[in-house]
Amino acid sequence: MTDLRDEAELRCLVTGATGYIGGRLAPALLDAGHRVRALARTPQKLRDYPWVGRAEVVRGDVTDADSLVEAMRDIDVAYYLVHALGSGSDFEETDRRAARTFGEQARAAGVRRIVYLGGLTPAGVPEEELSPHLRSRAEVGRILLDSGVPTAVLRAAIVLGSGSASFEMLRYLTERLPVMVTPSWVGTSIQPVAVRDVIRYLVGSAALPSDVNRTFDIGGPDVMSYREMMQGYARVAGLPRRLIMPVPVLTPTLSSHWIGLITPVPRSIARPLTESLRHEVVCHEHDITRYVPDPPEGAIGFDRAVELALQRIQEARVDTRWTSASLPGAPSDPLPTDPDWAGGSLYRDERQLRVQVPPDALWRVIEGIGGENGWYSFPLAWAVRGWLDRLVGGVGLRRGRRDAQRLRVGDSLDFWRVEEIIPGSLLRLRAEMRLPGLAWLELSVDGDEQGRTVYRQRALFHPQGLLGHAYWWSVWPFHSVVFGGMARNITQAAASAGSRTGARGTSPGEKRGPMTHSGTDN
């Protein structure tokens, strides 16, 4: 029988490429030297994925046999990463039909391996007692194993990584609730696994010997209760220890309503996840390492997995582009295409104004901000914020600036520090005032399709705990005065300076371009 390990390059079909795992698996396969064909019902949704230019994209649906014929042509390994996640009353039948269609078409096309990521099921529990979510995942695995195509069914519990629905539910509950009345399932034992390890096992499974047709349990080194995971998250995130009080009366339905109220995770997703936590889900074997060895340091533990998921914010690696996040460096990083509720809370106040002056005239005003020049809006509000900061031991506004005209990375600027500067284009400041979270202020110069100069301004705040959320909403009513006034006054100052040097400025009565404002939790 042919051993796929003998072939360096494999042709891989990735279904669910717009999903959490698929969007991370595809670039990992490409980086491993394989060819990737991504299947999507709406290929346009893949347009903004950073890896899409290296892959082939085809339109199709796993429930549509005809569309799978072309998708599976010349494919060696087909990844099945789709499921209904409890959407609608007939989701189990939809999952069943899709798995059968996929297996039949894979066999007909001569696909040499199927790899499926399913859910870890508890040992010794009758299938009828499982949640519909876990029961359907187990059935899909059996259907693919019986398809006649060698299949590897990888079964995981909670996947730890920014954007994973299970991790985001854990994140939001822990960050937003210092005191919790919880369902009894918070005491259930769980074996979570880092998304980096999940992707590593999936990539390695492409080269399994052709006589391997079985399930593999995959998990990290830690077995914990959900309560321990919440306390562990709080510890890693620098939050106080949470007070957790389990009660027996919260059913999965009530739990999902409660989660939907407290977190942005949709109730349709929260319910199947909470139902699956009624039973212990731990690995009963780790045979996958016979074929896909763990690194010398072993699989990633819970604390390290959470650190990796939070790393982008903790290291202040916010995006430098106006339109989307910078490209992720690892599966644990958030993707621009993750759901809006993924990635934790990052509040934004975004504004833009067009001004009819050369870009360099606008940049001179931006680079001269702070110190003796002030902040171009509501001086009393800035002064009061500085006094309050000094009152609690912060630096206040007393530091001023090193140079009245030029800034460089690392310069202190009142209670900010220059984190990034791209001359003529971008100034990013990181707040060093005392705050219940992390804050940045970005000022940038851009242009539009008509060649006009555009001033863009963005305030970002990553709250820490419930106090952080309360802080943002307590100051939000003043944003239109402080940040709106800043945008208007900076562009007016640039226009005035431009007119004095002979450029055509914007007169007080002249109509300006549109201003956009967003203060939503993303």
Side-chain angles (χ1 to χ4, degrees):
M1 304 181 79
T2 302
D3 190 335
L4 294 185
R5 288 178 296 182
D6 296 335
E7 300 186 25
E9 182 185 77
L10 299 172
R11 294 159 295 185
C12 303
L13 174 69
V14 177
T15 64
T18 59
Y20 175 69
I21 294 295
R24 288 156 171 81
L25 174 63
L29 288 168
L30 290 164
D31 292 342
H34 302 309
R35 294 164 59 185
V36 171
R37 179 180 295 158
L39 180 74
R41 286 181 296 181
T42 309
Q44 291 83 353
K45 290 183 178 180
L46 289 170
R47 181 185 58 190
D48 294 329
Y49 281 60
W51 49 264
V52 73
R54 297 189 287 154
E56 177 188 358
V57 178
V58 296
R59 185 188 303 274
D61 189 317
V62 293
T63 61
D64 180 359
D66 291 340
S67 70
L68 291 177
V69 172
E70 183 59 33
M72 290 188 175
R73 190 183 307 277
D74 299 324
I75 289 295
D76 297 312
V77 182
Y79 285 90
Y80 191 80
L81 304 173
V82 295
H83 51 77
L85 198 60
S87 58
S89 58
D90 60 345
F91 83 94
E92 289 183 86
E93 174 55 32
T94 301
D95 274 346
R96 184 179 304 119
R97 178 165 48 89
R100 286 174 178 162
T101 302
F102 191 84
E104 291 168 358
Q105 294 305 312
R107 184 177 66 251
V111 172
R112 290 187 279 171
R113 172 155 302 282
I114 294 173
V115 181
Y116 166 58
L117 179 63
L120 188 59
T121 55
V125 177
E127 190 166 292
E128 59 270 16
E129 295 183 16
L130 296 177
S131 71
H133 169 68
L134 282 182
R135 188 169 59 238
S136 180
R137 300 300 167 268
E139 183 182 17
V140 166
R142 287 198 307 274
I143 291 171
L144 295 176
L145 287 168
D146 294 339
S147 67
V149 178
T151 296
V153 176
L154 275 55
R155 308 192 306 174
I158 288 178
V159 176
L160 301 173
S162 182
S164 159
S166 297
F167 178 77
E168 296 301 335
M169 191 171 78
L170 173 70
R171 182 209 299 263
Y172 285 116
L173 288 175
T174 308
E175 287 187 350
R176 296 187 173 185
L177 294 176
V179 179
M180 307 179 224
V181 176
T182 62
S184 57
W185 51 252
V186 296
T188 302
S189 294
I190 304 164
Q191 190 166 354
V193 58
V195 66
R196 292 194 186 198
D197 285 328
V198 172
I199 298 301
R200 180 170 57 81
Y201 292 137
L202 287 170
V203 172
S205 295
L208 288 172
S210 57
D211 59 345
V212 174
N213 186 65
R214 55 163 292 184
T215 64
F216 293 96
D217 293 352
I218 59 173
D222 301 308
V223 176
M224 317 169 69
S225 68
Y226 204 88
R227 180 194 295 109
E228 290 171 330
M229 286 196 292
M230 286 191 285
Q231 298 291 14
Y233 180 96
R235 181 180 63 254
V236 175
L239 299 170
R241 184 175 176 82
R242 281 15 208 166
L243 178 60
I244 301 171
M245 299 175 289
V247 296
V249 296
L250 285 176
T251 65
T253 299
L254 289 175
S255 296
S256 63
H257 281 291
W258 169 63
I259 292 169
L261 178 66
I262 298 299
T263 81
V265 178
R267 188 167 64 88
S268 60
I269 293 176
R271 175 161 183 167
L273 294 178
T274 56
E275 286 178 337
S276 300
L277 294 172
R278 290 181 299 171
H279 302 291
E280 179 181 278
V281 279
V282 298
C283 298
H284 295 277
E285 46 84 9
H286 197 43
D287 296 347
I288 188 67
T289 57
R290 292 170 50 193
Y291 308 99
V292 188
D294 287 334
E297 65 274 15
I300 297 171
F302 177 84
D303 284 9
R304 179 56 180 157
V306 174
E307 288 175 0
L308 291 168
L310 300 181
Q311 187 168 301
R312 182 171 294 270
I313 288 294
Q314 290 178 336
E315 295 184 355
R317 291 190 292 128
V318 297
D319 51 297
T320 57
R321 293 177 56 198
W322 183 260
T323 54
S324 65
S326 55
L327 304 186
S332 49
D333 288 342
L335 278 173
T337 42
D338 285 340
D340 289 342
W341 46 264
S345 301
L346 185 63
Y347 292 116
R348 293 173 169 87
D349 182 289
E350 298 178 350
R351 300 169 189 271
Q352 69 177 37
L353 285 171
R354 292 175 176 82
V355 56
Q356 297 188 41
V357 298
D360 60 337
L362 178 57
W363 177 252
R364 283 194 295 271
V365 176
I366 290 175
E367 193 175 11
I369 200 167
E372 295 298 324
N373 294 326
W375 293 89
Y376 291 91
S377 71
F378 204 176
L380 179 61
W382 288 94
V384 169
R385 187 63 185 87
W387 297 333
L388 291 174
D389 193 52
R390 292 186 65 181
L391 189 64
V392 295
V395 297
L397 289 172
R398 57 188 172 184
R399 296 190 303 188
R401 51 181 294 155
R402 175 189 58 84
D403 185 293
Q405 295 181 328
R406 296 287 181 265
L407 291 173
R408 63 189 182 194
V409 171
D411 276 359
S412 59
L413 183 58
D414 295 329
F415 46 44
W416 304 90
R417 188 167 298 277
V418 179
E419 184 176 86
E420 179 63 273
I421 184 167
I422 302 174
S425 177
L426 171 72
L427 172 64
R428 184 194 299 137
L429 307 174
R430 183 178 183 182
E432 293 190 336
M433 64 192 82
R434 295 295 181 92
L435 289 170
L438 301 173
W440 297 266
L441 177 64
E442 285 186 353
L443 314 175
S444 62
V445 180
D446 204 350
D448 62 12
E449 295 81 0
Q450 286 74 43
R452 294 173 295 184
T453 302
V454 179
Y455 169 74
R456 301 189 189 275
Q457 175 182 298
R458 182 169 67 160
L460 302 171
F461 182 65
H462 173 65
Q464 185 177 41
L466 187 61
L467 183 60
H469 293 278
Y471 171 81
W472 172 266
W473 291 112
S474 68
V475 299
W476 183 78
F478 303 101
H479 284 187
S480 60
V481 176
V482 175
F483 293 127
M486 177 185 291
R488 290 189 298 271
N489 293 333
I490 284 177
T491 53
Q492 287 174 357
S496 297
S499 63
R500 289 195 299 270
T501 58
R504 180 176 176 267
T506 305
S507 65
E510 185 174 349
K511 184 177 179 180
R512 296 183 178 87
M515 179 176 71
T516 62
H517 167 234
S518 172
T520 58
D521 178 357
N522 196 25

